[in-house]
Amino acid sequence: MDSEARLLASVGAELGEGPVWSARDKALWFVDIKAPCVYRYDPASHALDRFDAPSHVGWILPAQDGLWVAGLAKGLHRFDPRDGSFTLMNGIEAGLPDNRLNDAAVDPAGRIWFGSMDNREVHPTGHIYQWHRGAVSRTAVPPVVITNGPAISPDGRTAYLVDTLGLSIAAHPIGLDGTIGAGRPFLKFDASKGYPDGAICDAGGGVWVGFYGGWAARRFAPDGTMTDEVRFPVSNVTKIALGGDDGRTAFATTARQGLSAERLASQPLAGDIFTFRTDIGGIPVMPVSLDL
């Protein structure tokens, strides 16, 4: 596999996040949380389409009906790229004005697991939620300042939850009924190598993590052993997606947020999209189940 990432598309995102490979249109979808907007990138034509969002947008996931579900600051929305519209489905955390939604994943049953965070990155008000058949429920997972992931194992039985400022990832069992159990420590990091950001699982059960301030994305085996490290020419690597024709092409979002003018001058590609090849393919993204 590649040990260094290469530039794929120039975007200059303030906070690029949430990449997801869409097999149905062979394109990469991702967001710039702070712009705020949704992007679609076609690797074949190199076309880059932008859709402005009405508030901070943390993630976007394909739905069964061909449209999308997007996590905006205060709720889940249906997103229709044909007219660029966002329609509210479920409001979230109306009583926490400084919170916003941050990252998400779909499990094999079509449920969305997503988290919130304190947008000021100070208070532990970030919770983990589940959306299933039109209803949102807050899990019993203890709150943290910045939630990331979840990364869902290939069998859908484990959720890897990232506590970014806590520099840790916990593995939580998911029951057959969709309930999430108490977590066990999975990984603990040193801030000198960056803060764990977005995470996904590959088909081998490995966990890929982007490191904010770490100049890298790293893969960890189910036992926690680091198996791969891919270096970047930019410091803030936020999350990767696995896709392409064979599922072994990685697409990575990055961010300019928090970089001084001096650091931006030394990282002119910050906020762009990068790519590299992997030995193990990704898990095709399950469309969100809309059956009510």
Side-chain angles (χ1 to χ4, degrees):
M1 69 164 280
D2 295 338
S3 61
E4 294 185 357
R6 63 185 183 277
L7 178 68
L8 179 66
S10 297
V11 179
E14 180 71 12
L15 185 52
E17 262 288 8
V20 59
W21 175 257
S22 171
R24 65 192 181 198
D25 62 348
K26 295 186 177 181
L28 178 73
W29 291 75
F30 61 98
V31 304
D32 183 344
I33 295 176
K34 295 298 180 73
C37 66
V38 172
Y39 285 104
R40 176 188 180 274
Y41 176 74
D42 182 341
S45 67
H46 303 291
L48 181 68
D49 301 315
R50 171 177 169 146
F51 307 87
D52 290 337
S55 65
H56 289 161
V57 53
W59 48 266
I60 184 168
L61 294 167
Q64 281 179 330
D65 62 355
L67 300 184
W68 297 79
V69 178
L72 271 61
K74 288 301 177 184
L76 275 62
H77 288 66
R78 298 301 310 284
F79 169 61
D80 187 342
R82 294 171 299 184
D83 60 8
S85 62
F86 292 83
T87 304
L88 181 66
M89 296 168 56
N90 303 82
I92 309 290
E93 298 186 338
L96 293 172
D98 294 322
N99 265 26
R100 64 169 174 82
L101 301 192
N102 192 47
D103 202 2
V106 185
D107 70 14
R111 296 178 288 238
I112 305 175
W113 297 89
F114 64 97
S116 62
M117 64 170 280
D118 176 13
N119 195 40
R120 297 176 298 174
E121 303 181 10
V122 175
H123 301 293
T125 54
H127 295 275
I128 297 295
Y129 295 86
Q130 180 196 110
W131 183 95
H132 186 47
R133 295 184 175 179
V136 172
S137 57
R138 192 169 85 180
T139 71
V141 175
V144 298
V145 180
I146 302 175
T147 64
N148 260 300
I152 306 297
S153 62
D155 63 4
R157 300 301 303 275
T158 303
Y160 296 94
L161 305 183
V162 181
D163 177 356
T164 295
L165 295 189
L167 292 163
S168 64
I169 300 179
H172 292 253
I174 299 175
L176 293 176
D177 61 353
T179 57
I180 190 167
R184 60 175 173 81
F186 176 60
L187 292 169
K188 186 69 177 177
F189 304 102
D190 187 311
S192 66
K193 295 196 175 178
Y195 288 80
D197 204 318
I200 64 164
C201 286
D202 63 21
V207 183
W208 276 100
V209 184
F211 282 82
Y212 206 95
W215 302 84
R218 302 179 179 104
R219 181 188 185 271
F220 301 89
D223 66 0
T225 303
M226 189 179 81
T227 61
D228 302 279
E229 180 180 64
V230 179
R231 303 297 297 179
F232 284 68
V234 298
S235 59
N236 298 334
V237 183
T238 54
K239 190 173 183 177
I240 76 164
L242 292 170
D245 292 339
D246 61 1
R248 293 176 49 230
T249 297
F251 304 94
T253 49
T254 66
R256 299 166 61 86
Q257 178 182 262
L259 297 178
S260 66
E262 181 180 6
R263 293 180 69 192
L264 279 173
S266 67
Q267 300 178 44
L269 303 182
D272 290 344
I273 302 298
F274 293 82
T275 187
F276 57 92
R277 294 284 290 167
T278 65
D279 292 332
I280 299 174
I283 305 167
V285 177
M286 174 69 68
V288 176
S289 175
L290 298 174
D291 297 332
L292 302 181

